[in-house]
Amino acid sequence: MDHSCQDWMSALPEELWDIPLTNLAIPGSHDAMSYCLDINSPLVRSESNFLRLLDGLFYCFTRPIIFKWATTQDKSIEEQLSMGIRYFDLRIAHKPNDSSNDLYFTHVIYTHLTVLETLLSVNTWLESHPKEVVILACSHFEGMDVTCHESFIFCLKKLFGSKLCPREVSFLSAANLLKKKKEKRKKRCCALTHLTCSSQESVLTLRHLWASGYQVILSYESQTAATHQELWPDIPYLWANQQTAQGVISYLDRQKDLGRPEGFFVAGLNLTAGRSYITMNPKQSLQTLTFSNWECLKEWVEEQIPGSDPKSINIIAGDFVGPLPLCSLVIALNQKLVQKQSSQIKADIIS
């Protein structure tokens, strides 16, 4: 396993320490916890009645198929962190007819590992990597009522403590940062203002996060989050719902033409196979489909540019981030920001 990117944020050039995280290229993991799906667990509540009927009648036939098409990752959460993944798509639920308060991750079925034991591992990893920042995107929350949400949020606050970056950070005075940038530009001739996005996100930089001890940006896709400053709103995920690389790329390019969202957003490289494809290709799996389309997706990634421009990218998430070199490809895109700064400095000197 490649560990060369395990501290990539702290290894970035100093010129990028004052760039908002929303303008950096960040590698992400789609359905990050599907490596530990429990093949014998129930279907999640949101699955169709048709699949539920098939699963009830032909369990021995449907389960292997569900398992190989629902599994999107094959590396543990700690391994993904050490490979450089910094955005995690985490789908959370409470099992039906479960009297305990345990929560699990889901993708069609539930995981072996519970949510809290997994996040404890994340916290332990962060302790050893104090300059790395992760974005945990918690969503779905099937089977969870208000009481369950509040209990879970209490546990999250207790677990991560002072590592949690409050969302109010992104609304701190942009005037102070702009003043500092002007001073730095006079000293170093750095045109950082061209690389910042909206004033709302202008202080969410590595330098600021490091100084504050923040390592966790926790996105929580529920109205419950509104009353908790430690929780961020859900992050837009551009999902193509296509089973070919060409289909995914066409969708993402159309979205780029519309302009990038404010703040964080995710370009999803994950492929989605329809029922007919799965039925007609019994020897295939999501892994074989992803691998066969990788070269085309790889070329698209290499062409992308991070930053604040309307067609720029931010987080790029994919499947099977262990065997495929997504992390190194996405992290390398940040060098384009350094090159852009150098070009702007030369232009300023000439003018």
Side-chain angles (χ1 to χ4, degrees):
M1 186 176 65
D2 184 7
H3 283 186
S4 62
C5 296
Q6 65 178 342
D7 292 298
W8 69 265
M9 286 183 159
S10 60
L12 286 175
E14 188 175 356
E15 300 96 311
L16 302 184
W17 295 359
D18 295 304
I19 302 298
L21 262 63
T22 52
N23 289 354
L24 294 179
I26 299 173
S29 174
H30 167 248
D31 269 309
M33 292 302 298
S34 63
Y35 66 86
C36 62
L37 290 174
D38 179 1
I39 196 171
N40 296 313
S41 72
L43 294 173
V44 298
R45 302 166 197 250
S46 59
E47 286 304 321
S48 68
N49 290 332
F50 177 72
L51 180 57
R52 204 171 296 280
L53 176 63
L54 280 181
D55 191 54
L57 294 174
F58 308 104
Y59 183 88
C60 293
F61 175 73
T62 58
R63 281 310 168 110
I65 296 174
I66 289 172
F67 188 79
K68 70 179 183 177
W69 285 100
T71 300
T72 68
Q73 307 296 341
D74 62 359
K75 300 297 181 184
S76 72
I77 195 82
E78 298 93 340
E79 289 174 317
Q80 293 181 46
L81 282 162
S82 294
M83 288 184 296
I85 292 295
R86 295 295 177 266
Y87 166 90
F88 295 88
D89 171 26
L90 304 174
R91 307 183 184 195
I92 296 170
H94 185 263
K95 286 183 179 179
N97 305 316
D98 185 352
S99 59
S100 75
N101 292 324
D102 290 337
L103 300 176
Y104 295 85
F105 301 100
T106 68
H107 191 212
V108 186
I109 51 180
Y110 299 85
T111 57
H112 286 287
L113 296 176
T114 66
V115 172
L116 289 182
E117 66 181 313
T118 300
L119 296 183
L120 178 61
S121 297
V122 173
N123 188 60
T124 300
W125 189 92
L126 290 172
E127 294 282 350
S128 302
H129 303 269
K131 284 194 169 183
E132 298 303 298
V133 179
V134 297
I135 303 167
L136 306 179
C138 300
S139 64
H140 287 58
F141 303 118
E142 290 192 43
M144 293 177 60
D145 57 19
V146 174
T147 302
C148 191
H149 274 291
E150 292 296 342
S151 175
F152 179 45
I153 292 169
F154 174 81
C155 292
L156 290 173
K157 291 180 181 181
K158 184 177 180 180
L159 173 61
F160 291 117
S162 60
K163 292 186 185 70
L164 284 172
C165 176
R167 65 175 181 267
E168 63 192 25
V169 166
S170 63
F171 296 98
L172 293 175
S173 173
N176 290 335
L177 188 71
L178 185 59
K179 182 179 179 181
K180 291 180 181 179
K181 285 179 181 175
K182 287 181 178 179
E183 292 173 355
K184 286 182 180 179
R185 190 163 56 223
K186 289 178 181 178
K187 294 178 180 179
R188 297 161 40 198
C189 196
C190 284
L192 289 174
T193 51
H194 297 289
L195 295 171
T196 58
C197 58
S198 70
S199 61
Q200 293 178 341
E201 301 290 345
S202 59
V203 297
L204 193 66
T205 65
L206 286 173
R207 192 187 298 274
H208 177 80
L209 293 171
W210 292 341
S212 304
Y214 298 140
Q215 287 185 271
V216 179
I217 295 170
L218 187 55
S219 166
Y220 203 90
E221 192 182 40
S222 169
Q223 293 181 347
T224 313
T227 58
H228 298 273
Q229 284 298 318
E230 298 86 351
L231 305 181
W232 290 59
D234 62 295
I235 296 172
Y237 192 109
L238 305 181
W239 173 49
N241 193 19
Q242 298 288 323
Q243 68 185 37
T244 66
Q246 291 81 1
V248 169
I249 291 169
S250 295
Y251 169 81
L252 292 176
D253 284 342
R254 288 197 301 272
Q255 295 301 309
K256 285 174 61 178
D257 289 339
L258 297 176
R260 59 162 290 163
E262 280 196 42
F264 292 110
F265 74 101
V266 185
L269 299 183
N270 44 296
L271 304 173
T272 306
R275 289 178 184 170
S276 59
Y277 181 89
I278 293 173
T279 303
M280 297 298 293
N281 296 273
K283 294 184 179 181
Q284 299 296 311
S285 65
L286 183 60
Q287 186 175 55
T288 60
L289 180 65
T290 302
F291 283 20
S292 65
N293 282 270
W294 171 245
E295 284 303 316
C296 189
L297 293 172
K298 175 176 175 286
E299 291 177 7
W300 183 86
V301 171
E302 291 172 334
E303 294 171 354
Q304 301 313 300
I305 301 174
S308 59
D309 295 336
K311 292 189 177 183
S312 63
I313 56 88
N314 177 209
I315 302 166
I316 299 180
D319 293 334
F320 301 101
V321 297
L324 298 176
L326 178 68
C327 289
S328 57
L329 286 174
V330 175
I331 294 166
L333 297 178
N334 290 304
Q335 291 301 317
K336 296 183 181 182
L337 292 176
V338 178
Q339 295 167 5
K340 184 176 181 179
Q341 284 194 9
S342 298
S343 299
Q344 289 169 349
I345 291 172
K346 292 179 182 178
D348 288 345
I349 293 174
I350 293 173
S351 60

PDB file of all heavy atoms in Angstrom, residues 30 236-241 248-249 251-252 265-271 297 300 315-319:
ATOM      1  N   HIS A  30     -15.960   7.451  -2.240  1.00  0.00           N
ATOM      2  CA  HIS A  30     -17.405   7.258  -2.367  1.00  0.00           C
ATOM      3  C   HIS A  30     -17.815   6.004  -1.587  1.00  0.00           C
ATOM      4  O   HIS A  30     -17.184   4.953  -1.703  1.00  0.00           O
ATOM      5  CB  HIS A  30     -17.775   7.103  -3.846  1.00  0.00           C
ATOM      6  CG  HIS A  30     -19.159   6.604  -4.079  1.00  0.00           C
ATOM      7  ND1 HIS A  30     -19.415   5.351  -4.605  1.00  0.00           N
ATOM      8  CD2 HIS A  30     -20.362   7.183  -3.854  1.00  0.00           C
ATOM      9  CE1 HIS A  30     -20.728   5.179  -4.699  1.00  0.00           C
ATOM     10  NE2 HIS A  30     -21.324   6.277  -4.246  1.00  0.00           N
ATOM     11  N   PRO A 236     -22.661  19.385  -1.624  1.00  0.00           N
ATOM     12  CA  PRO A 236     -23.194  18.895  -2.904  1.00  0.00           C
ATOM     13  C   PRO A 236     -22.305  17.814  -3.517  1.00  0.00           C
ATOM     14  O   PRO A 236     -21.079  17.969  -3.572  1.00  0.00           O
ATOM     15  CB  PRO A 236     -23.211  20.152  -3.785  1.00  0.00           C
ATOM     16  CG  PRO A 236     -23.232  21.298  -2.834  1.00  0.00           C
ATOM     17  CD  PRO A 236     -22.455  20.843  -1.630  1.00  0.00           C
ATOM     18  N   TYR A 237     -22.935  16.731  -3.956  1.00  0.00           N
ATOM     19  CA  TYR A 237     -22.222  15.616  -4.589  1.00  0.00           C
ATOM     20  C   TYR A 237     -22.764  15.452  -6.005  1.00  0.00           C
ATOM     21  O   TYR A 237     -23.938  15.132  -6.192  1.00  0.00           O
ATOM     22  CB  TYR A 237     -22.417  14.334  -3.780  1.00  0.00           C
ATOM     23  CG  TYR A 237     -21.496  13.193  -4.167  1.00  0.00           C
ATOM     24  CD1 TYR A 237     -20.466  12.792  -3.323  1.00  0.00           C
ATOM     25  CD2 TYR A 237     -21.657  12.507  -5.375  1.00  0.00           C
ATOM     26  CE1 TYR A 237     -19.620  11.743  -3.664  1.00  0.00           C
ATOM     27  CE2 TYR A 237     -20.816  11.476  -5.733  1.00  0.00           C
ATOM     28  CZ  TYR A 237     -19.794  11.086  -4.880  1.00  0.00           C
ATOM     29  OH  TYR A 237     -18.947  10.056  -5.240  1.00  0.00           O
ATOM     30  N   LEU A 238     -21.927  15.682  -6.990  1.00  0.00           N
ATOM     31  CA  LEU A 238     -22.341  15.567  -8.388  1.00  0.00           C
ATOM     32  C   LEU A 238     -22.273  14.105  -8.800  1.00  0.00           C
ATOM     33  O   LEU A 238     -21.190  13.556  -9.040  1.00  0.00           O
ATOM     34  CB  LEU A 238     -21.435  16.438  -9.277  1.00  0.00           C
ATOM     35  CG  LEU A 238     -21.341  17.920  -8.882  1.00  0.00           C
ATOM     36  CD1 LEU A 238     -20.433  18.676  -9.853  1.00  0.00           C
ATOM     37  CD2 LEU A 238     -22.724  18.563  -8.840  1.00  0.00           C
ATOM     38  N   TRP A 239     -23.435  13.466  -8.863  1.00  0.00           N
ATOM     39  CA  TRP A 239     -23.538  12.042  -9.171  1.00  0.00           C
ATOM     40  C   TRP A 239     -24.150  11.875 -10.549  1.00  0.00           C
ATOM     41  O   TRP A 239     -25.273  12.300 -10.815  1.00  0.00           O
ATOM     42  CB  TRP A 239     -24.395  11.341  -8.111  1.00  0.00           C
ATOM     43  CG  TRP A 239     -24.702   9.905  -8.403  1.00  0.00           C
ATOM     44  CD1 TRP A 239     -23.818   8.943  -8.776  1.00  0.00           C
ATOM     45  CD2 TRP A 239     -25.976   9.265  -8.341  1.00  0.00           C
ATOM     46  NE1 TRP A 239     -24.459   7.736  -8.936  1.00  0.00           N
ATOM     47  CE2 TRP A 239     -25.793   7.907  -8.679  1.00  0.00           C
ATOM     48  CE3 TRP A 239     -27.266   9.710  -8.021  1.00  0.00           C
ATOM     49  CZ2 TRP A 239     -26.842   7.002  -8.722  1.00  0.00           C
ATOM     50  CZ3 TRP A 239     -28.304   8.790  -8.056  1.00  0.00           C
ATOM     51  CH2 TRP A 239     -28.101   7.458  -8.398  1.00  0.00           C
ATOM     52  N   ALA A 240     -23.418  11.224 -11.448  1.00  0.00           N
ATOM     53  CA  ALA A 240     -23.856  11.099 -12.836  1.00  0.00           C
ATOM     54  C   ALA A 240     -24.919  10.040 -13.043  1.00  0.00           C
ATOM     55  O   ALA A 240     -25.709  10.117 -13.982  1.00  0.00           O
ATOM     56  CB  ALA A 240     -22.651  10.790 -13.732  1.00  0.00           C
ATOM     57  N   ASN A 241     -24.916   8.988 -12.209  1.00  0.00           N
ATOM     58  CA  ASN A 241     -25.836   7.862 -12.375  1.00  0.00           C
ATOM     59  C   ASN A 241     -25.672   7.235 -13.768  1.00  0.00           C
ATOM     60  O   ASN A 241     -26.638   6.991 -14.472  1.00  0.00           O
ATOM     61  CB  ASN A 241     -27.283   8.310 -12.151  1.00  0.00           C
ATOM     62  CG  ASN A 241     -28.241   7.131 -11.992  1.00  0.00           C
ATOM     63  OD1 ASN A 241     -27.804   6.017 -11.696  1.00  0.00           O
ATOM     64  ND2 ASN A 241     -29.522   7.360 -12.188  1.00  0.00           N
ATOM     65  N   VAL A 248     -20.251   9.453 -17.345  1.00  0.00           N
ATOM     66  CA  VAL A 248     -19.885  10.218 -16.150  1.00  0.00           C
ATOM     67  C   VAL A 248     -19.207  11.520 -16.544  1.00  0.00           C
ATOM     68  O   VAL A 248     -19.532  12.604 -16.023  1.00  0.00           O
ATOM     69  CB  VAL A 248     -18.950   9.385 -15.241  1.00  0.00           C
ATOM     70  CG1 VAL A 248     -18.349  10.255 -14.136  1.00  0.00           C
ATOM     71  CG2 VAL A 248     -19.712   8.223 -14.635  1.00  0.00           C
ATOM     72  N   ILE A 249     -18.269  11.451 -17.468  1.00  0.00           N
ATOM     73  CA  ILE A 249     -17.523  12.644 -17.887  1.00  0.00           C
ATOM     74  C   ILE A 249     -18.437  13.667 -18.553  1.00  0.00           C
ATOM     75  O   ILE A 249     -18.329  14.870 -18.285  1.00  0.00           O
ATOM     76  CB  ILE A 249     -16.373  12.232 -18.826  1.00  0.00           C
ATOM     77  CG1 ILE A 249     -15.313  11.470 -18.030  1.00  0.00           C
ATOM     78  CG2 ILE A 249     -15.771  13.448 -19.520  1.00  0.00           C
ATOM     79  CD1 ILE A 249     -14.274  10.794 -18.892  1.00  0.00           C
ATOM     80  N   TYR A 251     -21.574  14.132 -18.018  1.00  0.00           N
ATOM     81  CA  TYR A 251     -22.378  14.753 -16.958  1.00  0.00           C
ATOM     82  C   TYR A 251     -21.568  15.781 -16.178  1.00  0.00           C
ATOM     83  O   TYR A 251     -22.018  16.907 -15.947  1.00  0.00           O
ATOM     84  CB  TYR A 251     -22.907  13.674 -16.014  1.00  0.00           C
ATOM     85  CG  TYR A 251     -23.516  14.226 -14.743  1.00  0.00           C
ATOM     86  CD1 TYR A 251     -24.830  14.716 -14.729  1.00  0.00           C
ATOM     87  CD2 TYR A 251     -22.779  14.280 -13.560  1.00  0.00           C
ATOM     88  CE1 TYR A 251     -25.383  15.231 -13.569  1.00  0.00           C
ATOM     89  CE2 TYR A 251     -23.330  14.793 -12.398  1.00  0.00           C
ATOM     90  CZ  TYR A 251     -24.625  15.272 -12.404  1.00  0.00           C
ATOM     91  OH  TYR A 251     -25.161  15.805 -11.256  1.00  0.00           O
ATOM     92  N   LEU A 252     -20.360  15.402 -15.758  1.00  0.00           N
ATOM     93  CA  LEU A 252     -19.542  16.308 -14.964  1.00  0.00           C
ATOM     94  C   LEU A 252     -19.158  17.555 -15.763  1.00  0.00           C
ATOM     95  O   LEU A 252     -19.118  18.668 -15.223  1.00  0.00           O
ATOM     96  CB  LEU A 252     -18.292  15.593 -14.458  1.00  0.00           C
ATOM     97  CG  LEU A 252     -18.538  14.484 -13.426  1.00  0.00           C
ATOM     98  CD1 LEU A 252     -17.230  13.788 -13.073  1.00  0.00           C
ATOM     99  CD2 LEU A 252     -19.215  15.034 -12.173  1.00  0.00           C
ATOM    100  N   PHE A 265     -17.605  21.113  -2.816  1.00  0.00           N
ATOM    101  CA  PHE A 265     -18.477  20.279  -3.648  1.00  0.00           C
ATOM    102  C   PHE A 265     -17.665  19.104  -4.164  1.00  0.00           C
ATOM    103  O   PHE A 265     -16.433  19.149  -4.225  1.00  0.00           O
ATOM    104  CB  PHE A 265     -19.101  21.069  -4.803  1.00  0.00           C
ATOM    105  CG  PHE A 265     -18.150  21.397  -5.932  1.00  0.00           C
ATOM    106  CD1 PHE A 265     -18.147  20.660  -7.103  1.00  0.00           C
ATOM    107  CD2 PHE A 265     -17.259  22.462  -5.816  1.00  0.00           C
ATOM    108  CE1 PHE A 265     -17.284  20.964  -8.141  1.00  0.00           C
ATOM    109  CE2 PHE A 265     -16.389  22.780  -6.845  1.00  0.00           C
ATOM    110  CZ  PHE A 265     -16.398  22.027  -8.013  1.00  0.00           C
ATOM    111  N   VAL A 266     -18.380  18.028  -4.516  1.00  0.00           N
ATOM    112  CA  VAL A 266     -17.735  16.781  -4.907  1.00  0.00           C
ATOM    113  C   VAL A 266     -18.092  16.419  -6.336  1.00  0.00           C
ATOM    114  O   VAL A 266     -19.272  16.425  -6.711  1.00  0.00           O
ATOM    115  CB  VAL A 266     -18.160  15.619  -3.983  1.00  0.00           C
ATOM    116  CG1 VAL A 266     -17.377  14.352  -4.318  1.00  0.00           C
ATOM    117  CG2 VAL A 266     -17.990  15.993  -2.519  1.00  0.00           C
ATOM    118  N   ALA A 267     -17.072  16.097  -7.130  1.00  0.00           N
ATOM    119  CA  ALA A 267     -17.282  15.503  -8.449  1.00  0.00           C
ATOM    120  C   ALA A 267     -17.124  14.002  -8.283  1.00  0.00           C
ATOM    121  O   ALA A 267     -16.030  13.521  -7.967  1.00  0.00           O
ATOM    122  CB  ALA A 267     -16.280  16.057  -9.450  1.00  0.00           C
ATOM    123  N   GLY A 268     -18.213  13.267  -8.458  1.00  0.00           N
ATOM    124  CA  GLY A 268     -18.184  11.824  -8.247  1.00  0.00           C
ATOM    125  C   GLY A 268     -17.818  11.066  -9.509  1.00  0.00           C
ATOM    126  O   GLY A 268     -18.507  11.180 -10.531  1.00  0.00           O
ATOM    127  N   LEU A 269     -16.752  10.282  -9.456  1.00  0.00           N
ATOM    128  CA  LEU A 269     -16.345   9.459 -10.598  1.00  0.00           C
ATOM    129  C   LEU A 269     -17.013   8.091 -10.574  1.00  0.00           C
ATOM    130  O   LEU A 269     -16.800   7.283 -11.479  1.00  0.00           O
ATOM    131  CB  LEU A 269     -14.819   9.248 -10.580  1.00  0.00           C
ATOM    132  CG  LEU A 269     -13.932  10.482 -10.679  1.00  0.00           C
ATOM    133  CD1 LEU A 269     -12.472  10.054 -10.711  1.00  0.00           C
ATOM    134  CD2 LEU A 269     -14.267  11.310 -11.907  1.00  0.00           C
ATOM    135  N   ASN A 270     -17.801   7.814  -9.546  1.00  0.00           N
ATOM    136  CA  ASN A 270     -18.375   6.481  -9.366  1.00  0.00           C
ATOM    137  C   ASN A 270     -19.381   6.131 -10.450  1.00  0.00           C
ATOM    138  O   ASN A 270     -20.213   6.941 -10.857  1.00  0.00           O
ATOM    139  CB  ASN A 270     -19.033   6.366  -7.996  1.00  0.00           C
ATOM    140  CG  ASN A 270     -19.879   7.557  -7.613  1.00  0.00           C
ATOM    141  OD1 ASN A 270     -19.375   8.669  -7.457  1.00  0.00           O
ATOM    142  ND2 ASN A 270     -21.174   7.335  -7.465  1.00  0.00           N
ATOM    143  N   LEU A 271     -19.280   4.898 -10.930  1.00  0.00           N
ATOM    144  CA  LEU A 271     -20.174   4.369 -11.960  1.00  0.00           C
ATOM    145  C   LEU A 271     -21.379   3.693 -11.307  1.00  0.00           C
ATOM    146  O   LEU A 271     -21.302   3.201 -10.184  1.00  0.00           O
ATOM    147  CB  LEU A 271     -19.442   3.357 -12.831  1.00  0.00           C
ATOM    148  CG  LEU A 271     -18.156   3.855 -13.511  1.00  0.00           C
ATOM    149  CD1 LEU A 271     -17.432   2.702 -14.193  1.00  0.00           C
ATOM    150  CD2 LEU A 271     -18.460   4.955 -14.511  1.00  0.00           C
ATOM    151  N   LEU A 297     -11.423   7.692 -17.149  1.00  0.00           N
ATOM    152  CA  LEU A 297     -11.642   8.561 -15.988  1.00  0.00           C
ATOM    153  C   LEU A 297     -10.330   9.222 -15.563  1.00  0.00           C
ATOM    154  O   LEU A 297     -10.305  10.400 -15.191  1.00  0.00           O
ATOM    155  CB  LEU A 297     -12.209   7.747 -14.823  1.00  0.00           C
ATOM    156  CG  LEU A 297     -13.629   7.189 -15.018  1.00  0.00           C
ATOM    157  CD1 LEU A 297     -13.975   6.234 -13.876  1.00  0.00           C
ATOM    158  CD2 LEU A 297     -14.655   8.313 -15.092  1.00  0.00           C
ATOM    159  N   TRP A 300      -9.508  12.239 -17.609  1.00  0.00           N
ATOM    160  CA  TRP A 300     -10.334  13.392 -17.232  1.00  0.00           C
ATOM    161  C   TRP A 300      -9.797  14.056 -15.973  1.00  0.00           C
ATOM    162  O   TRP A 300      -9.702  15.285 -15.900  1.00  0.00           O
ATOM    163  CB  TRP A 300     -11.781  12.953 -17.021  1.00  0.00           C
ATOM    164  CG  TRP A 300     -12.701  14.094 -16.710  1.00  0.00           C
ATOM    165  CD1 TRP A 300     -13.350  14.899 -17.604  1.00  0.00           C
ATOM    166  CD2 TRP A 300     -13.080  14.550 -15.400  1.00  0.00           C
ATOM    167  NE1 TRP A 300     -14.109  15.842 -16.942  1.00  0.00           N
ATOM    168  CE2 TRP A 300     -13.963  15.654 -15.590  1.00  0.00           C
ATOM    169  CE3 TRP A 300     -12.782  14.153 -14.112  1.00  0.00           C
ATOM    170  CZ2 TRP A 300     -14.539  16.352 -14.517  1.00  0.00           C
ATOM    171  CZ3 TRP A 300     -13.335  14.848 -13.035  1.00  0.00           C
ATOM    172  CH2 TRP A 300     -14.194  15.926 -13.244  1.00  0.00           C
ATOM    173  N   ILE A 315     -13.355  18.671  -4.621  1.00  0.00           N
ATOM    174  CA  ILE A 315     -13.190  17.279  -4.182  1.00  0.00           C
ATOM    175  C   ILE A 315     -13.524  16.351  -5.356  1.00  0.00           C
ATOM    176  O   ILE A 315     -14.534  16.542  -6.030  1.00  0.00           O
ATOM    177  CB  ILE A 315     -14.120  16.970  -3.002  1.00  0.00           C
ATOM    178  CG1 ILE A 315     -13.840  17.915  -1.822  1.00  0.00           C
ATOM    179  CG2 ILE A 315     -13.979  15.513  -2.567  1.00  0.00           C
ATOM    180  CD1 ILE A 315     -14.923  17.899  -0.754  1.00  0.00           C
ATOM    181  N   ILE A 316     -12.664  15.367  -5.584  1.00  0.00           N
ATOM    182  CA  ILE A 316     -12.948  14.339  -6.587  1.00  0.00           C
ATOM    183  C   ILE A 316     -12.988  13.001  -5.859  1.00  0.00           C
ATOM    184  O   ILE A 316     -11.997  12.584  -5.253  1.00  0.00           O
ATOM    185  CB  ILE A 316     -11.886  14.302  -7.703  1.00  0.00           C
ATOM    186  CG1 ILE A 316     -11.846  15.647  -8.445  1.00  0.00           C
ATOM    187  CG2 ILE A 316     -12.187  13.166  -8.676  1.00  0.00           C
ATOM    188  CD1 ILE A 316     -10.812  15.687  -9.571  1.00  0.00           C
ATOM    189  N   ALA A 317     -14.144  12.359  -5.878  1.00  0.00           N
ATOM    190  CA  ALA A 317     -14.325  11.096  -5.152  1.00  0.00           C
ATOM    191  C   ALA A 317     -14.538   9.948  -6.130  1.00  0.00           C
ATOM    192  O   ALA A 317     -15.115  10.129  -7.209  1.00  0.00           O
ATOM    193  CB  ALA A 317     -15.519  11.202  -4.196  1.00  0.00           C
ATOM    194  N   GLY A 318     -14.083   8.781  -5.728  1.00  0.00           N
ATOM    195  CA  GLY A 318     -14.243   7.624  -6.600  1.00  0.00           C
ATOM    196  C   GLY A 318     -14.345   6.331  -5.823  1.00  0.00           C
ATOM    197  O   GLY A 318     -14.296   6.305  -4.588  1.00  0.00           O
ATOM    198  N   ASP A 319     -14.482   5.240  -6.560  1.00  0.00           N
ATOM    199  CA  ASP A 319     -14.548   3.900  -5.991  1.00  0.00           C
ATOM    200  C   ASP A 319     -13.181   3.229  -6.081  1.00  0.00           C
ATOM    201  O   ASP A 319     -12.362   3.568  -6.937  1.00  0.00           O
ATOM    202  CB  ASP A 319     -15.578   3.053  -6.735  1.00  0.00           C
ATOM    203  CG  ASP A 319     -17.005   3.543  -6.528  1.00  0.00           C
ATOM    204  OD1 ASP A 319     -17.269   4.169  -5.490  1.00  0.00           O
ATOM    205  OD2 ASP A 319     -17.852   3.303  -7.417  1.00  0.00           O
TER     206      ASP A 319
END
